[in-house]
Each structure stands twice: as structure tokens, then as C-alpha cells.
């Protein structure tokens, strides 16, 4: 546990199942409680399914939020969201300077509606975006990283599972306290 009693690392073994009660199985309310101790939050995927619900919840708790969004999605962000970035999440160093002063980085970018047929997209979107996010968080001095990873889907989703496990491994190597869900 880190400061404020929040988990600082996923307890998932890279090749094993998620243990019950681990950091990797926190429910969204638990993740919000952990973020509630933080003054500034940077979110990738801020206008997606989860981001669009998370941002208002963080704002209601008095958090300052910056979000990375795709060009054309800026108007979907709630009022008061800082740093409405119009850059690509797949290009190294394209948004590193916009992460600070965030204490917590929440990475929500991923291929929508994952299926075995989307293995190439997992590599091109999911893996590329977490590589860029890992570097940006490290260089910005982020103190906590929340990564929406994988909930152990069916074995036929092996490409998805592998990409998410690689993302978790990259994040662990940074030494940044991590909650992988």
C-alpha cells in the first residue's frame, strides 16, 4: 500500500490469474478513492466510455483534471477540464509536456470492443499508446499510474492479454506506483 492506503502495484503475476482482492480487482469506486487523495489527474481517453464517466466523478471530488482527447472530441469534455490536448496518443513525446503537474496518470486508451479479429489493433493502438504513456508519465514525474488492463477474458483473446501484460510490465519497470485493473 502506498500513501493514503492505495495499492501501489498490481499483484497480478504476468502469466497468472488475478487473485481475488488484489489491486488488479479494485472496483471503480476504490480507484476513485485512491485518486481522491490527489490534486491533479491526467487522463488519456477522456471522452471514451470510462473517461466520460470518470472525469465528472473526479471533478465532484475537487480534483483538477487534464485530458488527452482526439481531435474533434474536445467539445465532449466537461467544463473545467484543463489541457484539452489535441495530439495523438500514439506518437512519442507528443503530449509529455501536458502531463505536468499531474500526480496521477489514468490511461484509458484501448481498442474498442476487443475481439480476436483485432489483434493488429491491439499492437498498433493499445501497445503503442501505453509505450507513449509510460514514457510521458516517467518524464513528467507522475507519482501514481492507473492502467485499465485486462480482466482475464476468454483464452481466445490471447493477443489482447499479451499486449496488456506487456503494458503492465513496462509500467512496473518505471518504478512509478501502479494500480493495474
Amino acid at each position: 500500500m502506498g500513501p493514503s492506503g492505495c495499492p501501489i502495484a498490481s499483484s497480478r503475476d504476468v502469466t497468472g490469474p488475478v487473485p481475488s482482492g488484489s489491486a488488479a480487482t479494485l472496483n471503480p469506486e476504490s480507484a476513485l478513492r485512491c485518486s481522491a487523495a490527489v490534486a491533479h489527474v491526467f487522463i488519456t481517453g477522456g471522452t471514451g466510455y470510462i473517461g466520460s464517466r470518470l472525469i465528472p466523478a473526479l471533478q465532484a471530488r475537487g480534483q483538477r483534471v487534464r485530458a488527452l482527447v482526439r481531435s474533434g472530441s474536445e467539445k465532449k469534455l466537461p467544463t473545467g477540464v484543463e489541457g484539452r490536448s489535441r495530439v495523438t496518443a500514439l506518437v512519442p513525446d507528443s503530449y509529455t509536456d501536458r502531463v505536468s503537474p499531474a500526480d496521477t496518470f489514468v490511461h484509458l486508451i484501448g481498442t474498442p470492443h476487443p475481439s480476436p479479429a483485432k489483434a493488429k489493433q491491439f499492437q498498433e493502438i493499445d501497445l503503442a499508446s501505453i509505450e507513449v504513456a509510460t514514457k510521458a508519465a516517467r518524464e513528467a514525474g507522475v507519482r501514481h499510474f492507473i492502467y485499465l488492463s485486462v480482466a482475464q477474458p476468454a483464452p481466445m483473446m490471447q493477443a489482447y492479454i499479451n499486449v496488456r501484460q506487456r503494458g503492465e510490465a513496462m509500467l512496473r519497470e518505471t518504478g512509478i506506483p501502479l494500480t493495474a485493473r
Side-chain angles (χ1 to χ4, degrees):
M1 292 291 175
S4 76
C6 296
I8 59 171
S10 170
S11 56
R12 177 181 321 162
D13 180 289
V14 172
T15 59
V18 179
S20 177
S22 72
T25 60
L26 284 174
N27 66 36
E29 188 62 31
S30 296
L32 286 173
R33 277 196 303 275
C34 289
S35 293
V38 180
H40 298 275
V41 180
F42 185 85
I43 298 176
T44 60
T47 58
Y49 181 77
I50 295 171
S52 64
R53 288 152 177 82
L54 178 61
I55 288 173
L58 290 171
Q59 289 179 309
R61 289 169 171 77
Q63 303 303 302
R64 296 183 125 188
V65 179
R66 288 183 178 213
L68 180 74
V69 300
R70 288 177 288 200
S71 182
S73 294
E74 302 88 356
K75 292 181 180 174
K76 294 180 184 178
L77 285 171
T79 303
V81 175
E82 300 175 28
R84 296 179 180 188
S85 304
R86 289 175 37 156
V87 297
T88 177
L90 308 178
V91 176
D93 302 316
S94 65
Y95 65 87
T96 301
D97 62 336
R98 295 180 172 133
V99 175
S100 186
D103 301 294
T104 296
F105 191 120
V106 180
H107 185 68
L108 300 174
I109 294 174
T111 301
H113 312 290
S115 77
K118 295 183 176 184
K120 185 177 178 186
Q121 288 178 317
F122 302 148
Q123 294 288 323
E124 294 173 349
I125 296 170
D126 299 47
L127 187 59
S129 70
I130 194 60
E131 287 172 342
V132 172
T134 299
K135 185 176 186 290
R138 184 182 325 117
E139 291 179 8
V142 167
R143 296 188 319 212
H144 187 196
F145 199 105
I146 298 174
Y147 179 46
L148 185 61
S149 187
V150 62
Q152 296 302 319
M156 69 179 162
M157 295 291 292
Q158 198 57 48
Y160 179 77
I161 294 167
N162 290 342
V163 163
R164 293 303 176 146
Q165 288 173 340
R166 286 175 61 190
E168 287 182 30
M170 276 188 269
L171 287 164
R172 278 192 209 82
E173 289 173 10
T174 69
I176 297 171
L178 168 66
T179 301
R181 307 183 14 103

